[in-house]
Amino acid sequence: MSRRTRRDRAASPAGAARCTVTVCRGCCCGTAAKVPHLDHEAQLADLRSALGDIASVRRTDCLDACERANVIVIQPSAEGRKAGGRPVWLGQVNDPGAAADITTWVKEGGPGLAEPPSILDLYAFQPSRRVRAELHDE
């Protein structure tokens, strides 16, 4: 965790790498069969709307952690990685409150630059090395 201030982060050069938020919407995540009470498309649209100016929000087919549907991975910006941030895998992100907590954290800088809201500890998990390598996170 870096002790940099928001002003320091804001002084980053234009075009600097941003956090990447990867939202699984494959075979289990994003389906009403697996998580019927969630509007999956609205969750993705809300993340894109809230974070589109400060992070890359991408949809992926399957992150191979189906037992934890819905899965979202927060990858640090280049600055966050330099400060020690590593990708954070979150599972069972199935309510608007969790997505709002993710949005708040990414707006504050994300991995390496801001402490995540403590509630996100309930969602965090470590996928297998194989799965991480497929997302190019190692």
Side-chain angles (χ1 to χ4, degrees), residues 23-35 40 59-71:
V23 182
C24 186
R25 286 295 180 258
C27 61
C28 294
C29 296
T31 65
K34 181 81 173 202
V35 185
H40 303 278
R59 173 190 200 129
T60 190
D61 189 37
C62 187
L63 291 171
D64 200 18
C66 300
E67 70 281 1
R68 297 182 188 267
N70 287 325
V71 177

Side-chain angles (χ1 to χ4, degrees), residues 1-9 79-80 82-84 108 110-115:
M1 175 68 187
S2 172
R3 293 188 178 254
R4 303 182 99 180
T5 65
R6 285 180 199 252
R7 191 180 67 193
D8 292 337
R9 286 195 310 269
E79 186 179 7
K82 284 181 191 175
E108 290 175 354
L113 299 177
E115 289 293 326

Side-chain angles (χ1 to χ4, degrees), residues 19-85:
C19 286
T20 299
V21 178
T22 303
V23 182
C24 186
R25 286 295 180 258
C27 61
C28 294
C29 296
T31 65
K34 181 81 173 202
V35 185
H37 66 278
L38 180 67
D39 184 338
H40 303 278
E41 291 305 316
Q43 183 188 55
L44 181 59
D46 289 348
L47 287 167
R48 284 182 169 155
S49 174
L51 297 174
D53 292 338
I54 60 165
S56 298
V57 179
R58 65 184 184 169
R59 173 190 200 129
T60 190
D61 189 37
C62 187
L63 291 171
D64 200 18
C66 300
E67 70 281 1
R68 297 182 188 267
N70 287 325
V71 177
I72 296 177
V73 181
I74 314 302
Q75 294 171 274
S77 63
E79 186 179 7
R81 189 168 284 277
K82 284 181 191 175

